[in-house]
Amino acid sequence: MSFCRASLFDFPLKPFVFSHRSCIFLPRSFVSRTYEGVSPVISLPKSTQIIAKSSSVSVQPVSEDAREEYQSKDVSGDSIRRRFLEFFASRGHKVLPSASLVPEDPTVLLTIAGMLQFKPVFLGKVPRQVPCATTAQRCIRTNDLENVGKTARHHTFFEMLGNFSFGDYFKKEAIRWAWELSTNEFGLPANRVWVSVYEDDDEAFEIWKNEVGVPVERIKRMGEADNFWTSGPTGPCGPCSELYYDFHPERGSDDDVDLGDDTRFIEFYNLVFMQYNKTEDGVLEPLKQKNIDTGLGLERIAQILQKVPNNYETDLIYPIIAKISELANVSYDSANHQAKTSLKVIADHLRAVVYLISDGVLPSNIGRGYVVRRLIRRAVRKGKSLGINGDGKGNLKGAFLPTVAERVIELSTYIDSDVKLKATRIIEEIRQEELHFKKTLERGEKVLDQKLHDALAAADKSETRPCLSGKDAFLLYDTYGFPVEITTEVAEERGVSVDMNGFEVEMENQRRQSQAAHNVVKLTVEDDADITKNIADTEFLGYDSLSARAVVKSLLVGGKPVIRVSEGSEVEILLDRTPFYAESGGQIADQGYLYVNSDGNQENAVVEVSDVQKSLKRFVHKGTVKSGSLEVGKEVEAAVDADLRQRAKVHHTATHLLQSALKKVVGEETSQAGSLVAFDRLRFDFNFNRSLHDGELEEIERLINRWIGKATSLETKVLPLADAKQAGAIAMFGEKYDDEVRVVEVPGVSMELCGGTHVGNTAEIRAFKIISEQGIASGIRRIEAVAGEAFIAYINSRDSQMTRLCSILKVKAEDVTNRVENLQEELRAARKEASDLRSQAAVYRASVISNKAFTVGTSQKIRVLVESMDDTDADSLKNAAEHLLSTLEDPAAVVLGSCPDKDKVSLVAAFSPGVVSLGVQAGKFIGPIAKLCGGGGGGKPNFAQAGGRKPENLSGALEKAREDLVATLNEKLG
C-alpha cells in the first residue's frame, strides 16, 4: 500500500472549499507544488485570487452568468478527470495515483472499486497516512458482461473518481462538496439534480434540505437495498446518499417519481457514510473512526456534460468506435441496433484488455487471465458479426483487434501513462490471442456441424422434432466462442431448434459464479484481541549488520500467544529489532540463530531461525528451540547465517543485471513478471512472446559477466518515489512502494527500486550462468541461473557428470556429442527394424484371419470382418486393417481390436469407398465402440482409430461392433 505520509505536507490538512468562482481557498505552498497522479499539473488562471484559508463556507447558489462560464469550460473526459482531482486537492485531499487493476487484496480477482486500495485503512490494519485523499481509479467489472453495449451505461472497464476521508470529515462536508462539484464546478443545473438518502438517515436528509437547499420533493428516502452499503455479513457499513441527473425534468416531481427509471435518470455520484461496524449478531456498532468513500463515474458525468445519449458516444470511447466502424466499413450513425451493440462491445472490451495487459494480466484459462481471454474472444466474435476481414492494413488474414488497440493506447495518456511504454507487448499479445482464437472458431463450426448431425439423428430415431440442447449451445458459446444467435441461425437452416431456456440456465450459472468471484469486496473490522496489534514495527538492521541485540516482544505457538517456550518447540518470535531479512520482493528470508546467554536461573538457549515473514512492518521469525527456553522480554543475540546471506545478495544483484541485459538484447519493452532470489539459484520471469535463441542467451551471459568483471561498486540511496521514477529507476510490477523508496544502482548498468540485500561490488558475484530458459504461460518466459558459490557448485556438478559419461562411453569429453549421436542413430534404426517386423507379423496374422470375413446383403454383397488381434500395437493394427481392406476388395468393412498393454485398448475401422458411399462412416462408427472400452476416438469416413483403458471390455465391444455394422449395412442396402 503506497500512501503519501502526512509529514510531506507543509500545510494543515483541513477542508478547503470554493467560495466564489474567482476565488479559490488554497494553502499558499500548494500553488508551487505538483502532485502525483495528475497530468498536466494544476494550472490556475492568473486572475484567480489565492487565499490561504481552512474554514468552510456555505454553499452559494449558481448565477446564470456563472453557469454559462462553467458550461463553457472544457468538458472532455481528460478535463473532467483533472478538474475533479483539482477540486478536491484544493480542499486538502492528497491526490493519489490509480492502483493497479490487479489488487493486493486476495479476496478480489480484479480492482472493482475506488475504495479497494484504501481497504487496510478502513479496516484499521494500517494507520492513515493522509487524512483524506482523491483518486481517479481504473476499474474492471465483469458480472454484467451480457449487458455491455446493450444499455447506455454498462462497461467492463471504467474510471471511478473518488474522494475519501479517513476519520477527517464526514457527512456535512462530503454532501456539500458533492453539490458544489456538481453544480458549481461542472455547472449542472440545480433543478436537474436529485438525491437519495437512506430511509432512516435524517442527518443526511437535513443537510441536503437545510444546508444545501435541495427541495424536499427532489430528496428521495430509499430502503436498505438501494441506500445502505455493506461490505459483507459483518464489517464496516453505513448509509449512502446518491446524486442523480434528470434528463426530463418536464415530467414533474410527483411522489411516485422512480429514480430507477433509466430513461429519465442517471445515478452519477455515490456517497458512502461508513459509520457502523456490523457484528455477527447483526448489531450496528458506531465505528471509532467514521470514514467517507465516494465514487463518481467518469463515463457517466462525461455523458451528461457532453450531452450525448449514452456513455459510448463520449470522447472517452467514441474515437475507438469510429476506428472499428472504419474497419467494418459501416457508419455508426446509420447502423442498426445489433451492429451498434457490436461496435460498443468491441470498444469497451478493448479498453479493458489494453489496461489489463498493461498491468501484467495475460490471456490464459484461469483467473484474471481468463477474463482477458474471454473479453478478446467476445470482441473477435462481434468483429466477425460486423464482417470485419483482415487487419485493415491490407492483410486479409491478419488480426483486427491490434489496430483497435492502437487507438485505445493513443487515448491512454492521462489514464495511465505507462500504457504507451508497453504498447509493443500489448499489441503483440492481442494479435496472438486473436489469431489463435480464430482457429478455435473454425473448430467451433465443425463442432456445431457434428452437434446438429447428432440432434437430427436422435430425432429421427425418436420421431421427435430435432432440438439442440441448451448445454450444447452453451458449450459452443463458452468453449468455442460461437455466438448463440449464429448457432440458432445455422440450426434453423438445418431444421433444428435450440433449447434457449436450457442455454439461459447455463448462462445464469456462469453469471452467479462470475459475480461471486469478481464483485465482492470483503471487509472485516480487526478483532481488538489481535495479538500483534499493540506491537511496534520491527526495526530492520540487516543492511548494515548481520548480528544485533534485540528484545523478544511476543512469542506465538500455533498462532496463539505464550509467555515461554522450551526445547523442541516450534515458535514464531517478534523482536523489537532484527538483522534478519524477511521474505519479500522475490528474495527468500535469511536463516540463522537467536542466542540467549545464561542469566541467574536462566539457562543458555539457542533458537534456529528457518524463515522470516513480514506482517505489515512486523518481522515474524519462525524457528525451533534447539536448547534451553525463551521468554517474552528476554534479550537475545540475533545472528544471520553470513554464508547464506552472501549467496542471496549475489543472486539478487545478478537478477538486476539480468533484467538490464534482457532489455539490451531482446528489447526495452521486456519487463519483469516475477522473480525468486534463493541461496542456490535465481529465477526471473519476464514478458516476452517467444523463446530466446541460443545466440541471445549467450549474449546475455556475456554482457552480465563483463559487468561483473568491471568490479563496479553499487550505490544505494533513499529518494522520494517521484524523484526515483524521474531518475529512471525501474519499479517491479505489483509491488507497493512508500513515498520514500530505496534505490539500488549499478552505475551505468541498472537502477531499480528495491528493498532487498545486495553485494557491495559486482566482483563479489564472480560469475553468472543461465541454466534454463522456458515458457511458463502465454507471453511469459522464465530464466533460471546461478551465480557466485552456486555457480561453482553447478560447474563442479556438471564436470562430475561429464567425467562419468566419458567413462561409460569410453571417449574423451570432446567426443561425447558424436558418440551420443551415433548411438541415437543406431537406436532409431533398431526401432524401425522392430516396427517393420511387428507390421509384417500383423499383416501375416491378418492374412490368416481374412477367411473369417462374412457377407452382408443380397443384391449388393459387402465383405465384413470384425476380429481381435490380441496384443498387436496400434501402428501394426492400422497396417493390418489396410492390408485386409485391399485383400477383401471393395465393398468391404473391417473393424479390428487389440490389447497392446494391460490397461490399453486399440481399435481401428477401415471402410472401402463402396461402404462409405452408402453413408456409413468409419469415424462416426468407431467412437461409440471405443466408449465401451472406456475411451474414444474418430477419424475420416474411410479410416478411423480409437483407444480405451478397459481391455476386459474388448470382446463385448467387438461383438457390439459386429452387430451394429451388420444392422447398419442391411438398413442402408434396403
Side-chain angles (χ1 to χ4, degrees):
M1 183 62 61
S2 176
F3 294 100
C4 182
R5 297 184 184 277
S7 60
L8 295 179
F9 286 83
D10 58 2
F11 57 92
L13 284 168
K14 293 183 178 180
F16 299 98
V17 298
F18 286 112
S19 67
H20 191 271
R21 68 179 185 274
S22 62
C23 181
I24 302 177
F25 293 117
L26 284 171
R28 296 185 184 279
S29 59
F30 184 84
V31 182
S32 61
R33 285 177 171 267
T34 62
Y35 53 89
E36 186 179 12
V38 178
S39 180
V41 296
I42 293 177
S43 177
L44 301 174
K46 291 181 179 179
S47 60
T48 301
Q49 182 183 1
I50 308 299
I51 301 176
K53 189 177 177 73
S54 62
S55 62
S56 60
V57 297
S58 61
V59 178
Q60 301 296 322
V62 185
S63 69
E64 288 306 315
D65 289 343
R67 186 177 311 287
E68 288 178 8
E69 179 178 332
Y70 284 117
Q71 289 180 336
S72 68
K73 286 185 177 181
D74 181 4
V75 293
S76 67
D78 289 336
S79 174
I80 294 168
R81 184 190 305 108
R82 176 179 56 79
R83 288 164 63 188
F84 178 93
L85 296 174
E86 288 179 0
F87 180 90
F88 283 102
S90 70
R91 287 150 177 77
H93 292 63
K94 175 63 178 178
V95 180
L96 295 176
S98 171
S100 168
L101 289 172
V102 180
E104 190 176 56
D105 185 345
T107 70
V108 185
L109 192 67
L110 294 165
T111 297
I112 61 173
M115 59 76 65
L116 199 59
Q117 67 168 305
F118 305 117
K119 175 178 170 181
V121 182
F122 289 143
L123 292 178
K125 286 185 175 181
V126 299
R128 71 177 192 181
Q129 294 186 328
V130 293
C132 45
T134 183
T135 64
Q137 177 63 52
R138 293 173 288 118
C139 300
I140 294 282
R141 290 186 187 174
T142 60
N143 54 304
D144 289 323
L145 198 62
E146 295 305 315
N147 289 325
V148 171
K150 295 179 180 178
T151 71
R153 294 178 277 278
H154 274 92
H155 301 288
T156 51
F157 175 87
F158 59 95
E159 287 185 81
M160 189 61 73
L161 309 178
N163 56 287
F164 307 89
S165 169
F166 314 113
D168 183 55
Y169 62 83
F170 200 49
K171 290 183 185 179
K172 183 180 294 187
E173 293 85 352
I175 289 173
R176 287 163 49 172
W177 288 338
W179 183 259
E180 273 194 75
L181 176 77
S182 302
T183 60
N184 287 18
E185 175 60 28
F186 291 143
L188 300 182
N191 65 351
R192 286 191 173 220
V193 179
W194 292 60
V195 296
S196 67
V197 297
Y198 179 52
E199 57 191 358
D200 294 335
D201 192 354
D202 295 332
E203 180 184 6
F205 185 93
E206 291 301 320
I207 294 171
W208 282 115
K209 173 188 172 186
N210 297 326
E211 298 201 31
V212 176
V214 177
V216 172
E217 61 268 21
R218 292 211 312 274
I219 307 173
K220 291 291 184 181
R221 292 183 183 265
M222 300 177 74
E224 184 173 343
D226 296 298
N227 278 69
F228 195 90
W229 180 85
T230 61
S231 60
T234 62
C237 58
C240 308
S241 188
E242 297 171 336
L243 281 72
Y244 294 78
Y245 184 76
D246 185 358
F247 289 106
H248 298 286
E250 71 278 2
R251 295 182 186 176
S253 54
D254 297 335
D255 291 340
D256 60 350
V257 168
D258 179 12
L259 293 180
D261 178 5
D262 60 8
T263 66
R264 176 176 178 179
F265 296 102
I266 178 174
E267 176 204 335
F268 65 92
Y269 206 171
N270 185 17
L271 317 177
V272 175
F273 311 126
M274 202 181 296
Q275 65 188 85
Y276 300 114
N277 172 47
K278 189 174 184 180
T279 65
E280 291 185 357
D281 56 5
V283 175
L284 297 179
E285 300 175 339
L287 284 173
K288 296 177 183 177
Q289 173 181 294
K290 294 180 180 180
N291 305 305
I292 290 293
D293 161 24
T294 82
L296 183 149
L298 176 59
E299 290 79 7
R300 295 189 177 199
I301 192 67
Q303 178 198 340
I304 298 169
L305 295 178
Q306 294 176 19
K307 300 179 180 179
V308 293
N310 58 70
N311 294 359
Y312 291 92
E313 296 183 35
T314 67
D315 69 333
L316 294 165
I317 306 175
Y318 189 76
I320 307 168
I321 291 177
K323 172 56 68 174
I324 304 164
S325 299
E326 178 185 324
L327 293 172
N329 195 28
V330 299
S331 166
Y332 175 82
D333 292 332
S334 59
N336 60 32
H337 176 73
Q338 184 176 351
K340 279 188 176 180
T341 299
S342 296
L343 291 167
K344 293 174 184 177
V345 169
I346 298 171
D348 169 89
H349 287 8
L350 259 291
R351 293 179 88 209
V353 166
V354 164
Y355 290 103
L356 281 167
I357 294 178
S358 177
D359 277 358
V361 183
L362 301 179
S364 71
N365 284 328
I366 58 173
R368 301 179 183 103
Y370 181 66
V371 173
V372 176
R373 174 158 287 169
R374 190 177 177 204
L375 294 176
I376 290 175
R377 289 184 170 189
R378 292 191 90 236
V380 172
R381 294 200 309 263
K382 296 300 182 182
K384 184 180 177 71
S385 71
L386 288 168
I388 297 177
N389 190 18
D391 61 3
K393 300 177 181 179
N395 183 2
L396 295 180
K397 293 186 177 180
F400 81 94
L401 291 183
T403 304
V404 181
E406 290 173 358
R407 191 71 185 99
V408 177
I409 293 169
E410 288 173 11
L411 298 172
S412 69
T413 303
Y414 299 121
I415 303 174
D416 180 1
S417 58
D418 287 342
V419 170
K420 289 188 177 180
L421 300 176
K422 302 171 184 175
T424 301
R425 179 168 61 89
I426 293 169
I427 290 171
E428 181 58 24
E429 287 292 341
I430 293 172
R431 186 188 70 81
Q432 288 191 7
E433 185 67 15
E434 179 181 349
L435 293 178
H436 172 74
F437 180 54
K438 283 183 175 178
K439 294 179 181 178
T440 303
L441 264 179
E442 292 174 3
R443 293 197 297 271
E445 291 171 346
K446 295 178 182 177
V447 172
L448 174 59
D449 182 68
Q450 180 63 53
K451 294 291 183 184
L452 294 176
H453 178 275
D454 293 344
L456 287 165
D460 189 43
K461 285 185 178 180
S462 61
E463 297 183 352
T464 57
R465 188 171 183 269
C467 180
L468 185 70
S469 72
K471 194 168 186 178
D472 283 342
F474 182 76
L475 171 73
L476 287 157
Y477 168 81
D478 194 50
T479 303
Y480 295 97
F482 223 72
V484 69
E485 56 269 18
I486 294 180
T487 297
T488 303
E489 183 179 334
V490 174
E492 288 176 352
E493 291 174 357
R494 300 273 293 273
V496 180
S497 63
V498 178
D499 177 12
M500 291 305 298
N501 289 333
F503 176 80
E504 289 300 330
V505 168
E506 298 293 331
M507 283 294 295
E508 184 58 32
N509 289 337
Q510 187 189 67
R511 287 191 194 102
R512 282 198 295 267
Q513 293 171 1
S514 177
Q515 288 171 341
H518 304 315
N519 204 29
V520 178
V521 180
K522 296 181 180 178
L523 297 177
T524 304
V525 172
E526 290 295 284
D527 188 344
D528 288 339
D530 183 358
I531 53 180
T532 64
K533 186 171 184 178
N534 297 316
I535 296 176
D537 295 345
T538 309
E539 181 185 1
F540 178 60
L541 309 171
Y543 292 136
D544 304 312
S545 176
L546 294 182
S547 65
R549 302 294 296 176
V551 176
V552 177
K553 306 302 290 184
S554 179
L555 297 172
L556 306 173
V557 175
K560 297 182 178 180
V562 297
I563 299 298
R564 185 174 183 272
V565 289
S566 56
E567 186 174 326
S569 299
E570 300 287 333
V571 62
E572 295 180 341
I573 307 160
L574 282 82
L575 305 174
D576 64 336
R577 57 211 302 260
T578 183
F580 283 83
Y581 182 83
E583 180 179 332
S584 62
Q587 180 176 331
I588 66 172
D590 284 331
Q591 296 180 12
Y593 292 90
L594 303 180
Y595 300 100
V596 179
N597 295 324
S598 59
D599 179 16
N601 295 327
Q602 178 70 40
E603 60 183 319
N604 289 338
V606 177
V607 179
E608 182 178 10
V609 177
S610 57
D611 189 21
V612 186
Q613 296 293 322
K614 233 188 305 193
S615 174
L616 299 179
K617 293 184 179 180
R618 305 176 186 98
F619 288 48
V620 181
H621 305 72
K622 300 183 179 182
T624 305
V625 182
K626 291 298 184 181
S627 63
S629 61
L630 185 65
E631 294 182 5
V632 173
K634 285 295 180 181
E635 188 176 66
V636 299
E637 178 73 22
V640 173
D641 186 315
D643 178 62
L644 294 181
R645 166 66 79 84
Q646 181 64 19
R647 284 170 170 259
K649 287 163 60 177
V650 163
H651 280 140
H652 206 148
T653 305
T655 300
H656 286 209
L657 299 181
L658 173 57
Q659 176 155 225
S660 292
L662 274 166
K663 287 181 176 293
K664 285 184 176 293
V665 174
V666 302
E668 283 293 329
E669 70 274 10
T670 298
S671 61
Q672 184 175 350
S675 68
L676 171 69
V677 175
F679 305 132
D680 61 338
R681 72 191 190 284
L682 68 88
R683 188 177 73 210
F684 187 80
D685 299 340
F686 59 101
N687 297 296
F688 206 55
N689 51 35
R690 63 168 175 82
S691 60
L692 271 61
H693 307 312
D694 290 343
E696 291 172 325
L697 294 173
E698 290 170 4
E699 176 63 12
I700 289 168
E701 283 186 350
R702 187 189 67 77
L703 268 175
I704 294 173
N705 284 307
R706 189 180 74 189
W707 291 332
I708 291 169
K710 285 186 175 181
T712 303
S713 294
L714 274 71
E715 297 178 3
T716 303
K717 62 190 86 172
V718 176
L719 297 173
L721 178 60
D723 292 353
K725 288 184 175 180
Q726 188 173 4
I730 296 175
M732 168 60 183
F733 167 74
E735 284 293 306
K736 303 296 181 181
Y737 297 100
D738 291 331
D739 291 311
E740 290 194 338
V741 293
R742 185 168 180 263
V743 179
V744 177
E745 182 179 8
V746 181
V749 177
S750 166
M751 182 190 294
E752 296 191 29
L753 307 184
C754 183
T757 61
H758 289 271
V759 298
N761 188 289
T762 58
E764 295 178 46
I765 302 174
R766 301 166 69 181
F768 175 91
K769 178 67 180 175
I770 294 174
I771 58 178
S772 70
E773 190 276 337
Q774 61 182 330
I776 60 170
S778 175
I780 302 290
R781 308 296 300 179
R782 170 172 291 174
I783 285 178
E784 293 200 12
V786 289
E789 287 296 325
F791 169 84
I792 302 300
Y794 175 79
I795 294 300
N796 287 340
S797 174
R798 283 299 182 95
D799 184 65
S800 175
Q801 293 170 11
M802 177 59 77
T803 300
R804 186 181 177 199
L805 190 59
C806 290
S807 175
I808 293 172
L809 297 175
K810 295 181 172 53
V811 295
K812 296 178 181 179
E814 56 267 29
D815 296 327
V816 165
T817 301
N818 287 337
R819 179 61 178 140
V820 171
E821 288 176 347
N822 291 336
L823 288 173
Q824 286 179 324
E825 185 59 38
E826 292 173 11
L827 181 59
R828 280 192 292 268
R831 285 176 173 170
K832 185 177 184 307
E833 183 178 354
S835 178
D836 290 343
L837 289 172
R838 285 194 298 270
S839 292
Q840 291 173 19
V843 170
Y844 173 76
R845 293 169 66 184
S847 299
V848 172
I849 66 172
S850 63
N851 59 3
K852 294 185 179 181
F854 57 91
T855 302
V856 174
T858 53
S859 59
Q860 181 180 0
K861 296 183 178 181
I862 300 174
R863 300 277 285 168
V864 176
L865 180 63
V866 181
E867 290 294 333
S868 170
M869 292 192 65
D870 303 325
D871 60 354
T872 302
D873 65 89
D875 287 340
S876 299
L877 198 68
K878 173 178 177 291
N879 292 334
E882 290 173 342
H883 172 76
L884 284 167
L885 200 64
S886 63
T887 300
L888 296 175
E889 298 181 350
D890 190 25
V894 176
V895 177
L896 300 177
S898 67
C899 300
D901 290 310
K902 64 178 182 179
D903 57 351
K904 186 175 181 180
V905 173
S906 291
L907 290 163
V908 64
F911 296 170
S912 71
V915 173
V916 174
S917 67
L918 294 174
V920 184
Q921 299 186 9
K924 294 181 179 180
F925 179 81
I926 201 67
I929 304 302
K931 287 183 180 179
L932 298 175
C933 296
K940 299 178 180 179
N942 65 318
F943 191 87
Q945 287 182 285
R949 300 178 301 278
K950 298 179 180 179
E952 66 274 14
N953 294 353
L954 177 60
S955 177
L958 290 175
E959 183 61 35
K960 174 67 172 171
R962 185 180 291 106
E963 293 174 1
D964 288 354
L965 190 54
V966 170
T968 300
L969 291 174
N970 278 327
E971 180 183 353
K972 296 294 182 181
L973 292 170

